[in-house]
Amino acid sequence: MVPDEAPQPGPGSPRGSAAAEGAAGRKQRAFARRKAFSLFVQAREVPGAAVRWRCCRLAFEELSGIHRHVALQHGGDIGRQAEQAEQAAAERSPAGGPGPAGAADGPGGRSRGDPEIHCALPDTSRVSHGDLTSKVGEVLLYYCYCEVKDPEKLCAWQKALCQHLHLTGKVRVASEGINGTVGGSKVATNLYIEVMLSQPLFKDILCREDFKSSAGGAHCFPDLRVGVFKEIVPMGIDPKIVSYKETGIHLSPQEFHREVEQYLAQASQGESDTILLDCRNFYESKIGHFQGCLAPDIRKFSYFPSYVDENLELFKDKRVLMYCTGGIRCERGSAYLRSKAVCREVYQLKGGIHKYLEEFPDGFYRGKLFVFDDRYAICSNEDIISACRYCGTLWDQYTLCSSQHCRQLVLTCPSCRNKGLTACCPVCQEKELKVTSRASGQTLKEECECTSRRPRVPIEHVSQRMLDTGKD
């Protein structure tokens, strides 16, 4: 149960005076940021043209479009301009006090760092227990980057909310935002979305389109895990060093589709200056990827920064099109790549493969989409691009290695499984036979031939291979 809010001190007390001064300061900062935002948008206006605004080589006809683009892509620029305006105002004010207070900042009219976390739970008294716990449901995937002043409080509310709605899954909370994948009945997931959108912390930042859904339910996860972490996606780089605010340029699924189409046409003629980069893990890209992509042979996302460092020459003066499952890894990954100042341009697929497949199920993405739950993969087309580890027949359904000392995923077809070939490699297959009498709770990750043969950070060599992939 989440504790009630503590009573606030009155305006007459010393604490109340301090709170009032703090509120005045926040209003001043909000006013400065709102003004900076307005000036930034105004500077992108194109007088007398068919399109009203241009920014980052993109055209915008609607005010909501340019507002959302600026909020997502130029938050850092707005913040710096607001700070400069505040400093200038403070220098002009003899008392150094707050300037005029206005409405709060940003396109939604409020400061992202100021809202309190509301810990209310939705009313489910009119929903039957059967509808709330139905096994026929869906899995939601979402994230939201924002300033969270009290991650522990947000974590406690999320845990209570998910338990209240009988949701399972994983939710990561950090001072930089929230990242979740939860499963439950459609009634429960709809209530979850409604509550998340009404949460003041996420209002005007998170929208319904940010929730990616697929068929599933609470049964897709063994339990519910909600925790506070340093990063909402584990890249291993301090968010203060590489911030989501410095991300690449977002492309809608339609824009990304056109870019990939153009890239493949140029690559087939050996003329491309673009890299289509899959920033997922090798076992994800193995069963499904975009045609002509460069898929790093890395086991986890925390290796991605080292991969970039080892292959800077590969990215020099290139246009990079990045993609991942739902978009979150591209937020930090593109920011890291941009921090190296070697690429000409860095773009990323907004909403990830999930959103792309909603609009282009038979587009340039072929094979299955790997998901981090008990389903392992979901499909949008009939292509099978991977093979059984033992016999080489087309196969793309993962199972866990049968050796208790290994947690690797293995592609082994029914025929080979019937023959007892259920481990990820010969070393694990032999080990399984020798250690079946040991304690089942003991697990040693990566203790197998597969990992010893795979370099932790592979070094790519610029060659015809990259161009040949465009001919798939």
Side-chain angles (χ1 to χ4, degrees):
M1 179 175 176
V2 179
D4 295 332
E5 298 276 351
Q8 299 299 313
S13 67
R15 289 180 60 195
S17 299
E21 292 176 5
R26 287 195 296 272
K27 286 183 179 180
Q28 180 188 13
R29 290 191 294 274
F31 177 80
R33 188 174 177 89
R34 183 172 67 92
K35 187 173 181 180
F37 187 94
S38 178
L39 291 173
F40 192 97
V41 172
Q42 187 177 350
R44 269 75 187 160
E45 194 166 355
V46 185
V51 295
R52 295 186 60 189
W53 298 273
R54 286 191 180 277
C55 187
C56 298
R57 299 175 64 183
L58 299 175
F60 301 89
E61 297 180 359
E62 301 292 334
L63 185 62
S64 59
I66 183 65
H67 274 185
R68 185 165 179 80
H69 170 79
V70 172
L72 289 171
Q73 302 297 333
H74 300 287
D77 299 326
I78 300 298
R80 285 188 290 272
Q81 290 180 16
E83 288 175 2
Q84 292 171 1
E86 276 192 276
Q87 291 172 0
E91 291 172 359
R92 290 193 299 268
S93 174
D105 76 284
R110 59 189 238 333
S111 170
R112 293 186 176 185
D114 290 341
E116 286 293 328
I117 299 170
H118 286 188
C119 297
L121 299 178
D123 179 14
T124 57
S125 60
R126 298 183 180 181
V127 180
S128 71
H129 182 75
D131 286 342
L132 202 59
T133 59
S134 172
K135 291 185 179 180
V136 179
E138 59 186 358
V139 171
L140 298 178
L141 176 67
Y142 74 94
Y143 67 90
C144 180
Y145 277 106
C146 60
E147 294 179 14
V148 181
K149 292 184 176 180
D150 193 343
E152 294 290 348
K153 185 176 181 180
L154 179 60
C155 177
W157 173 69
Q158 270 294 307
K159 186 173 183 179
L161 174 61
C162 291
Q163 290 174 338
H164 183 67
L165 296 176
H166 300 275
L167 299 175
T168 60
K170 302 174 185 177
V171 180
R172 292 176 66 97
V173 176
S175 59
E176 64 173 356
I178 185 171
N179 174 22
T181 173
V182 295
S185 70
K186 288 195 174 183
V187 170
T189 54
N190 282 332
L191 282 170
Y192 183 82
I193 293 175
E194 289 176 8
V195 174
M196 290 292 287
L197 294 179
S198 65
Q199 171 63 251
L201 186 64
F202 307 132
K203 198 173 182 181
D204 302 327
I205 307 173
L206 193 64
C207 63
R208 184 169 287 273
E209 290 72 29
D210 292 324
F211 290 86
K212 281 75 71 173
S213 65
S214 55
H219 61 276
C220 294
F221 302 91
D223 51 24
L224 172 67
R225 299 180 185 180
V226 185
V228 176
F229 301 85
K230 192 168 186 177
E231 305 170 275
I232 60 173
V233 61
M235 190 171 76
I237 303 292
D238 192 323
K240 294 179 181 178
I241 297 176
V242 176
S243 170
Y244 66 89
K245 297 177 182 179
E246 306 300 329
T247 187
I249 298 171
H250 291 72
L251 297 178
S252 68
Q254 299 93 334
E255 292 168 331
F256 195 83
H257 184 80
R258 289 195 295 268
E259 286 283 350
V260 174
E261 185 175 38
Q262 183 178 1
Y263 157 70
L264 292 175
Q266 293 176 344
S268 65
Q269 300 174 15
E271 300 174 352
S272 180
D273 61 349
T274 299
I275 293 177
L276 179 56
L277 180 62
D278 189 328
C279 63
R280 300 175 300 161
N281 305 322
F282 78 90
Y283 52 85
E284 298 175 76
S285 58
K286 189 173 185 177
I287 63 171
H289 54 246
F290 275 95
Q291 294 172 244
C293 74
L294 171 63
D297 191 19
I298 56 176
R299 195 182 67 81
K300 51 187 179 180
F301 187 55
S302 58
Y303 295 170
F304 183 78
S306 297
Y307 174 83
V308 170
D309 293 344
E310 293 291 340
N311 295 281
L312 287 178
E313 190 63 28
L314 179 70
F315 299 107
K316 188 175 181 180
D317 298 325
K318 296 288 186 179
R319 298 175 73 252
V320 178
L321 303 174
M322 295 179 67
Y323 69 89
C324 61
T325 305
I328 187 170
R329 280 179 280 187
C330 284
E331 300 282 8
R332 295 290 306 285
S334 65
Y336 188 82
L337 190 55
R338 288 189 66 218
S339 73
K340 298 300 173 179
V342 294
C343 300
R344 183 150 54 90
E345 294 165 334
V346 180
Y347 299 91
Q348 64 190 78
L349 173 58
K350 183 180 178 182
I353 303 166
H354 253 289
K355 285 296 182 182
Y356 179 87
L357 291 179
E358 288 179 11
E359 300 194 35
F360 300 99
D362 292 309
F364 297 116
Y365 186 90
R366 311 312 302 168
K368 298 286 195 303
L369 171 59
F370 186 93
V371 290
F372 291 90
D373 56 58
D374 290 349
R375 296 172 299 173
Y376 288 129
I378 55 180
C379 65
S380 67
N381 55 66
E382 299 300 319
D383 286 3
I384 299 177
I385 66 170
S386 52
C388 172
R389 190 245 181 270
Y390 287 96
C391 70
T393 190
L394 290 176
W395 188 251
D396 61 5
Q397 297 180 31
Y398 276 120
T399 56
L400 280 175
C401 174
S402 55
S403 172
Q404 64 175 335
H405 288 270
C406 178
R407 301 295 294 174
Q408 298 277 9
L409 293 169
V410 57
L411 293 171
T412 175
C413 69
S415 176
C416 289
R417 290 186 68 82
N418 290 336
K419 297 175 184 177
L421 301 174
T422 55
C424 66
C425 66
V427 170
C428 276
Q429 192 73 41
E430 182 180 356
K431 190 178 294 184
E432 179 188 9
L433 300 175
K434 292 182 178 179
V435 298
T436 51
S437 61
R438 295 187 182 181
S440 60
Q442 184 182 11
T443 57
L444 300 174
K445 293 184 179 181
E446 298 189 83
E447 292 291 323
C448 70
E449 180 184 85
C450 300
T451 300
S452 63
R453 291 188 308 184
R454 177 178 294 106
R456 173 171 173 165
V457 183
I459 298 176
E460 301 286 350
H461 299 284
V462 182
S463 65
Q464 189 62 34
R465 181 184 71 82
M466 289 184 60
L467 298 178
D468 289 341
T469 56
K471 301 177 183 179
D472 292 348

